[in-house]
Structure formats: structure tokens, C-alpha cells
Amino acid sequence: MKVAVLGLDCAAPRLVFDRFRDDLPNLRGLMEAGSHGPLLSTHPPITVPAWACMMRSQDPGQLGIYGFRNRKDHSYDGLSMANASVLKSDAVWDLLGRAGKSSIVLGVPPSFPPKPLNGVQVGCFLTPSTDMAYTYPPDVRQEIQKVAPGYVVDVEGFRTEDKDALLKRIYDKTRMHFAVARHLLKTRPWDFFMMVEMGVDRIHHSFWKYMDPDHPKYEPRNPHENAIRDYYRYCDQEIGELLALFPKDTAVMVVSDHGAKKLDGGICFNEWLIKKGYLALKSYPDKPTPIGKADVDWSKTLAWGDGGYYGRLFMNVRGREPQGTIEPSDYDKVRSDLAAEIEAIEDPSGRPIGTKAYRPEDIYREVRNVAPDLTCYFGNLDWRSIGSVGLKTIHTFENDTGPDDANHDWQGIFILKSAANGLPKGARSGLKIYDVAPTLLGLFGVEAPAGMIGRRLDRE
């Protein structure tokens, strides 16, 4: 038996299962022949921890990665990029390799730098340059350039107002990605195949306002109204070509790491902390400046935040940070006060927006490496976190790192079609991202190792 996993980063249940369902004959066919349902993501619902957790059935605290970037220590040096080198536990393909199964793993975050496995691995969008060694074995890199000249691991410059040029780059990237997938499927032995396509995420962030009547910037009958639907149709066509290459008894799973939703605006996290007296600057900048480049007076600062689709709050603790100001005995009280105040942040009209602030020990089974002291979801992800200072406001309707129309949502997609007897059919609920790895192992008859926190969905 073979198993293929098709990852569509950011694919949203309400688009795939409902709005676009009749436009996606191949995905609809998989749904009708198998089972499908929304897949609850990780805390936070962000690409790098979510795919890593999905393939290991462990939470971000256990893996010690809390976003694209993480604090490497308790200094003030900002955040460093999380990549595959920080992951110590086995992914599905590592466990299958020990069971004698070969794998093709294409663009699954985080997979740079690539690690040896029984098969082939191509690095993900975190790959700094395709001039570097981003494949295993290394010589696959030259092969990719012959199959897909100009191959890129991500859509370059997706935060732009030049939408027509961006659409071309999204399609070009996706076309090359699927061409490499078909080539590897035709030329390599495999038992397990997995690829992740990042174009879905990029087109959501770049074009959501054009299709969603509930988006505050939506304009009826705009020229890009169908850009996202057309791209889903294109991906469905590419998926159909892959399905034609799979043997008939191949179990096929389609998953996303999180979903997507409209973005109403941004909460200027550090501006709010300054206003509340938690963050002090030696000099206030005359233009928007990333917090990492701001002139922070650490001797008077209690806490600072970082930007992104969610907010990370870090506290300046005596004996932990170089110029800590919060006594360790006061840590819990200050953190609780901050959480309560953050959850009370209102929109520009003074209405509550439903923000939640979580302590790491409340959402993770263990806390490895340096976690944020609070993880904050502004307006249940209707608002993103703006980390820059110098904006002179708490609310903004522009993103400080470039145009962005969408935020991540809690639910991704799950579809499973298998010829194995006894598998459930139809719509399902209660699915979690941690269930994917033990289910994949179960399809091969391989027992999930102790420590995986999900359950086998093929047994229910």
C-alpha cells in the first residue's frame, strides 16, 4: 500500500468544503469517496509549528518552536528563524524509513536544512537560496533545475500592490512545484509521498479582500473577484494529474495546517504597551520602526511585544533578562494583570473585540526553549499584531510589513480517501492536527511511538 499526502498551506474549510466545492472535481471526488472535516490547528495556527506538529503529533511546546521566529535565549537580540535544525523528534517519514518504507518529501515546513532519510527530500520555503544544498540527496538540486528551470521555493515578494505580476509569480511557482512532484513520482521508488504547496497561503494573504464581501476593504465587481477561486481550480487540476500517477490502492490525504479569514486591521501592540506604561523608549522614532531597531530603555521596561498574525508578549524579568525589571516574585501577578488588560483592548469604536491571551503552561504539555510569556490572539485573529513603534496609534488598517488581507484561522482541512476496509466515510468533526501522524502510520500498520498525542482516525 502507498500513502500520499497533499498539503495545501492555509486551505480554508469553508472554501474547499462549501463555496468552491463544485469547482473542484478532484477534491470533491476524494471527499465523496472518503471522509472529510475541519482540522483544528496548533497554538498558534502558524505554518512552521503547525506542519512540524502535524508530522510529529507533538505540540509546539514539546517541540520548542512557537512561530516562524523564536527567541534563542533571554537576551534582547530579537528573534531567530526556526528551521529544521531545531527539531529533535522523528517525523512520519523518519519512522517509516525505519520500517523499510521509502519517502518523497517535497516542501514540507520546516525542511531546511534537509536531513537524511530513506528517500528524497526537497527543502521548504524557509530555504534561503536554491544555490544552497536544499535537497537530500544533494544532487537532486541539479535535477530539479532541469525539470523546472528557475525553480523557487516560495512566491517572492507576495506583499505587494502589483497584483497582476504577483498572480503570475504564484502560478509560476505552483506550476514548477507540481512539475517536480510529478518528476519525483515517476523516477523514484516510494511508499510515502508528501508535498506542501505554499501558493494557497500566499494568494489568501494577497487577494482575500477581493472575494470576501465581509472584508472591510471589499469592493463589488472588482477585477480580482475570482482570483482565489480560479487558483483553487488550477490547484485542483494539478492535483488531478498527481492522482493519475498514484496506483489505484493509494490512500490519499489532503490537509492544511490552518485556515484563513478576513483581516480587519492591526493592534499596535508596542504602542499600546507604551501607553499603558509597560514599555519605555529612550527616544520615540519619527517614523514606523521595528521594535528590534527601536531605542528601548530596558531599565524602565516591563514588557514588549512582537508583530505577526498573533501577538507575542515578552516580560523583562530580573535575573532572566539582562536588565530585568520585574521581580520573580511578582511575575505571576504582572502577567495576569497584562493578560486581563490585553483581553480588554477595544476596537476604535470602543467595542470589545474578544482578544485572548494564553500562558504557555496552559496550552502546552511542556515548554521547551524560550516561549512567549503570553500568546495573544487579537479579536480571535480578526486583528493582527503590529510590532513597530512610531505609528502614534493603537489601531491601524495597514500592515507594517506590507499589504495583507487575511489572517490565519483555527481550522484547516482534512480529507482522506483509502481503499482500506472499515475507514469512516462522509463528513467528520472533532479532528485535530495531532491526529494526522498516528493515522498515517496506522495506514502502514506501523504503531505510533509513545509520546504522540493524537489518535488514529482510521480506527473510528
Side-chain angles (χ1 to χ4, degrees), residues 216 262-268 272 275 344-355 378-379 382-384 386 392-398:
K262 66 179 173 61
L263 187 61
D264 286 345
I267 299 297
C268 301
W272 179 85
K275 181 180 179 181
I345 291 177
E346 300 168 330
D347 72 7
S349 301
R351 294 171 298 192
I353 58 174
T355 295
F378 294 118
D382 283 340
W383 296 71
R384 64 171 292 152
I386 303 295
K392 303 177 182 177
T393 180
I394 305 301
H395 304 91
T396 181
F397 299 97
E398 304 299 332

Side-chain angles (χ1 to χ4, degrees), residues 19 29 35 42 51 66 70 90 101 123 130 152 181 224 236 258 274 276 292 302-303 318 345 372 383 408 452 460:
R19 182 169 173 176
S35 62
T42 51
W51 287 112
Y66 304 97
N70 296 270
D90 292 324
K101 307 295 184 184
T130 53
V152 292
H224 298 299
D236 185 80
H258 54 75
I274 291 171
K276 291 289 183 177
L302 297 174
R318 192 179 304 279
I345 291 177
W383 296 71
H408 294 185
M452 283 194 170
E460 299 176 350

Side-chain angles (χ1 to χ4, degrees), residues 228-284:
I228 291 180
R229 186 202 64 177
D230 292 345
Y231 177 75
Y232 268 85
R233 294 173 67 180
Y234 170 69
C235 286
D236 185 80
Q237 175 188 326
E238 290 279 13
I239 288 171
E241 293 190 29
L242 289 187
L243 296 178
L245 296 177
F246 300 155
K248 287 188 176 179
D249 64 346
T250 301
V252 180
M253 183 183 289
V254 185
V255 286
S256 60
D257 53 334
H258 54 75
K261 64 190 304 188
K262 66 179 173 61
L263 187 61
D264 286 345
I267 299 297
C268 301
F269 204 2
N270 285 311
E271 294 287 354
W272 179 85
L273 289 164
I274 291 171
K275 181 180 179 181
K276 291 289 183 177
Y278 287 105
L279 172 61
L281 303 183
K282 293 178 181 175
S283 59
Y284 190 83

Side-chain angles (χ1 to χ4, degrees), residues 98-165:
R98 287 192 208 115
K101 307 295 184 184
S102 57
S103 297
I104 298 172
V105 181
L106 173 58
V108 182
S111 54
F112 181 87
K115 297 179 180 179
L117 74 165
N118 181 20
V120 176
Q121 185 175 64
V122 179
C124 69
F125 76 110
L126 296 176
T127 300
S129 167
T130 53
D131 292 332
M132 303 174 71
Y134 74 104
T135 66
Y136 179 86
D139 58 1
V140 172
R141 181 168 70 92
Q142 288 77 23
E143 198 173 324
I144 288 174
Q145 287 304 320
K146 292 179 181 176
V147 173
Y151 182 83
V152 292
V153 294
D154 195 5
V155 179
E156 296 178 356
F158 74 93
R159 289 205 173 101
T160 175
E161 295 293 2
D162 188 351
K163 301 301 183 183
D164 290 335

Side-chain angles (χ1 to χ4, degrees), residues 53-74:
C53 293
M54 185 193 294
M55 289 296 106
R56 291 162 181 80
S57 193
Q58 292 180 301
D59 71 32
Q62 293 173 298
L63 297 181
I65 55 173
Y66 304 97
F68 281 94
R69 298 171 298 156
N70 296 270
R71 291 181 80 184
K72 62 182 186 301
D73 52 35
H74 285 102

Side-chain angles (χ1 to χ4, degrees), residues 312-326:
R312 281 165 290 192
L313 181 117
F314 305 109
M315 295 170 62
N316 197 22
V317 182
R318 192 179 304 279
R320 193 183 77 172
E321 274 71 22
Q323 299 180 57
T325 56
I326 300 171

